[in-house]
Amino acid sequence: MILVDRSLEEFSEILGSKSATPGGGSVSALAGALGADLISMVCRLSIGNDKYKDSENLLKESLEKAQILSKSLLKRVDLDSQAFNRVMAAFRMPKETEEEKKARSAEVQAGFKEAVQSPLAIASECLEVLHLAKNLIGTFNTNAMSDFGVAALQAHAGLEGSVMNVRINLPSIRDEQYVTETNNTVTHFVEEGSGIKNEVHAYVQQN
Amino acid sequence: MILVDRSLEEFSEILGSKSATPGGGSVSALAGALGADLISMVCRLSIGNDKYKDSENLLKESLEKAQILSKSLLKRVDLDSQAFNRVMAAFRMPKETEEEKKARSAEVQAGFKEAVQSPLAIASECLEVLHLAKNLIGTFNTNAMSDFGVAALQAHAGLEGSVMNVRINLPSIRDEQYVTETNNTVTHFVEEGSGIKNEVHAYVQQN
């Protein structure tokens, strides 16, 4: 059974179990998806209201993008656990002969790259959710102010959590250029995301 | 149907809808619960391992507390939406006669207090999850390092989100002493919670 078909209560129980998956990566993807959903909610509560007529196009575009991001991030709840399972399976491969050692090492490396690419994609999409929030400042129904604020908090927690997962797996990868580039990318993600989160937070507190 | 019986996918869809509930409050409670679950997972991956024998008692106590907090926070996913629905219902009460006005106003005030008490309880429990994390630093299986980090990120996002919900409802409450006291409480929560989150983050990055 895929994770997103589980009830909140079941997911909570599976998460708390001894199994290595689902773990922090899947939770970060879920946080990003729920952030995107709160952006959808904020847009829907504003679209069609005369007071926010001037931003109608932006609201509709943001709603569409938020729905796409939510769907993609929800898929990544399962994908991230699968990526990690691949690494675990690779470690269980035989390593008696030279050939087996080579095959195992290649599969471990491929698995770790996937275990980096997965949270990297989650981080990138969480950052997109944060950009949606940034662009919506001042354009929406202020009755949904705290939902808007929580959207940014969730997307930011998803971003930081997935960056942790990227950084924890990077030292296992031998391709130095890939490691350097990925490190630079996530550093940039974190800076940009934190800036937006602080901007949204200041806006929510002033309103 | 109660929210925690919904699948992740269904919850995501309901959240993104136009309905005012569930919103940021319920999502913050869920984030706290998932944070607690990740603490449970970290404890379970360490208990029984000779390497962490010295902290066996702390790990077992933390696991027990995390499980209780997760269950309580999951309940609050539904309770928070119900509290908000009470405010909405109060606003729909008749206000023709003086008596009706009085009854409506009393119910609105009672509703707002509940709409503050609910996220206040969520914030308090998220802070407890953060304390569990703080006490576990250096005592657990480092294979679960990023799960540990994400636990703190989730609990912190839940704390900040529920404090937003407290602060947004406080201006509607006429009981000044209650407002001042609650404001002081959440300011203290945020300071303490951010301190622990930063401490955990620094620890995860060094290891």
Side-chain angles (χ1 to χ4, degrees):
Chain A
M1 192 176 188
I2 64 169
L3 292 168
V4 298
D5 285 345
R6 298 282 186 174
S7 73
L8 300 189
E9 201 169 10
E10 283 170 340
F11 181 74
S12 163
E13 205 178 319
I14 301 169
L15 184 65
S17 75
K18 208 179 170 172
S19 163
T21 58
S26 293
V27 169
S28 298
L30 179 61
L34 300 182
D37 295 327
L38 285 166
I39 293 289
S40 291
M41 174 185 171
V42 168
C43 292
R44 283 191 214 269
L45 286 167
S46 314
I47 292 167
N49 185 326
D50 272 356
K51 239 172 132 182
Y52 314 103
K53 218 177 167 178
D54 287 350
S55 49
E56 185 96 358
N57 284 338
L58 174 66
L59 288 162
K60 283 182 178 169
E61 271 171 41
S62 303
L63 171 60
E64 206 177 313
K65 285 179 187 166
Q67 286 175 292
I68 293 168
L69 285 167
S70 166
K71 281 205 165 60
S72 177
L73 282 159
L74 266 190
K75 272 194 196 126
R76 295 191 188 286
V77 172
D78 280 279
L79 290 177
D80 194 80
S81 288
Q82 288 160 19
F84 192 77
N85 287 339
R86 180 175 174 181
V87 177
M88 295 290 98
F91 275 121
R92 287 191 298 267
M93 284 169 72
K95 46 177 178 175
E96 298 291 308
T97 68
E98 274 311 305
E99 236 171 59
E100 281 176 353
K101 275 183 194 167
K102 253 193 183 169
R104 180 177 177 276
S105 167
E107 179 59 20
V108 166
Q109 282 298 305
F112 270 119
K113 271 202 180 168
E114 202 178 308
V116 163
Q117 283 306 122
S118 167
L120 193 62
I122 296 168
S124 169
E125 290 184 353
C126 285
L127 185 57
E128 283 189 63
V129 177
L130 283 163
H131 275 289
L132 291 183
K134 182 188 162 88
N135 292 334
L136 284 169
I137 286 178
T139 69
F140 63 88
N141 188 337
T142 48
N143 286 342
M145 188 57 82
S146 62
D147 303 300
F148 178 71
V150 174
L153 290 174
Q154 288 294 311
H156 184 254
L159 169 63
E160 286 219 314
S162 42
V163 166
M164 263 182 198
N165 276 284
V166 168
R167 287 197 172 130
I168 240 138
N169 286 317
L170 273 186
S172 308
I173 293 177
R174 291 198 203 111
D175 179 344
E176 276 181 38
Q177 199 193 337
Y178 175 88
V179 171
T180 307
E181 279 173 11
T182 308
N183 241 327
N184 290 342
T185 302
V186 293
T187 301
H188 171 74
F189 280 0
V190 168
E191 280 171 14
E192 205 176 340
S194 297
I196 299 177
K197 182 215 155 194
N198 292 337
E199 203 177 324
V200 169
H201 203 276
Y203 170 70
V204 171
Q205 285 204 303
Q206 282 158 18
N207 286 273
Chain B
M1 192 177 187
I2 65 168
L3 292 169
V4 297
D5 285 344
R6 300 279 186 175
S7 73
L8 300 189
E9 201 168 11
E10 284 171 340
F11 181 73
S12 164
E13 205 178 319
I14 301 169
L15 183 64
S17 75
K18 210 179 168 172
S19 163
T21 56
S26 293
V27 170
S28 298
L30 179 61
L34 300 182
D37 295 327
L38 285 166
I39 294 288
S40 291
M41 175 185 169
V42 168
C43 292
R44 283 190 214 269
L45 285 169
S46 314
I47 293 167
N49 186 325
D50 271 356
K51 236 171 131 183
Y52 315 103
K53 217 176 167 179
D54 288 349
S55 49
E56 185 97 358
N57 284 337
L58 173 67
L59 288 162
K60 282 182 178 169
E61 272 171 38
S62 303
L63 171 60
E64 205 177 314
K65 285 180 187 166
Q67 285 176 293
I68 293 169
L69 285 167
S70 167
K71 280 205 166 59
S72 177
L73 281 159
L74 265 192
K75 272 193 195 127
R76 295 191 188 284
V77 172
D78 279 280
L79 290 177
D80 194 80
S81 288
Q82 288 160 19
F84 192 77
N85 288 337
R86 181 175 174 183
V87 177
M88 296 289 99
F91 275 121
R92 286 191 299 267
M93 283 169 73
K95 47 175 177 176
E96 299 289 311
T97 68
E98 275 310 307
E99 235 170 58
E100 281 176 353
K101 275 182 195 167
K102 254 192 184 169
R104 180 177 177 276
S105 167
E107 179 59 19
V108 166
Q109 282 297 305
F112 269 120
K113 270 200 182 170
E114 203 177 309
V116 163
Q117 284 305 124
S118 166
L120 193 61
I122 296 167
S124 168
E125 290 183 353
C126 285
L127 185 57
E128 283 187 63
V129 177
L130 284 163
H131 275 289
L132 291 184
K134 182 188 162 88
N135 292 336
L136 284 169
I137 286 177
T139 69
F140 62 89
N141 188 337
T142 49
N143 286 342
M145 189 56 83
S146 63
D147 304 300
F148 179 70
V150 174
L153 289 174
Q154 288 294 313
H156 184 253
L159 168 63
E160 286 221 312
S162 42
V163 166
M164 264 184 197
N165 276 284
V166 169
R167 287 199 170 129
I168 239 138
N169 286 317
L170 273 185
S172 308
I173 293 177
R174 292 199 203 109
D175 180 343
E176 276 179 39
Q177 199 193 335
Y178 175 88
V179 172
T180 307
E181 280 172 11
T182 308
N183 240 326
N184 290 343
T185 302
V186 293
T187 301
H188 171 76
F189 280 0
V190 168
E191 279 170 15
E192 205 176 339
S194 296
I196 298 176
K197 182 214 154 194
N198 292 337
E199 202 176 325
V200 169
H201 203 276
Y203 170 69
V204 172
Q205 286 205 305
Q206 280 157 19
N207 286 273

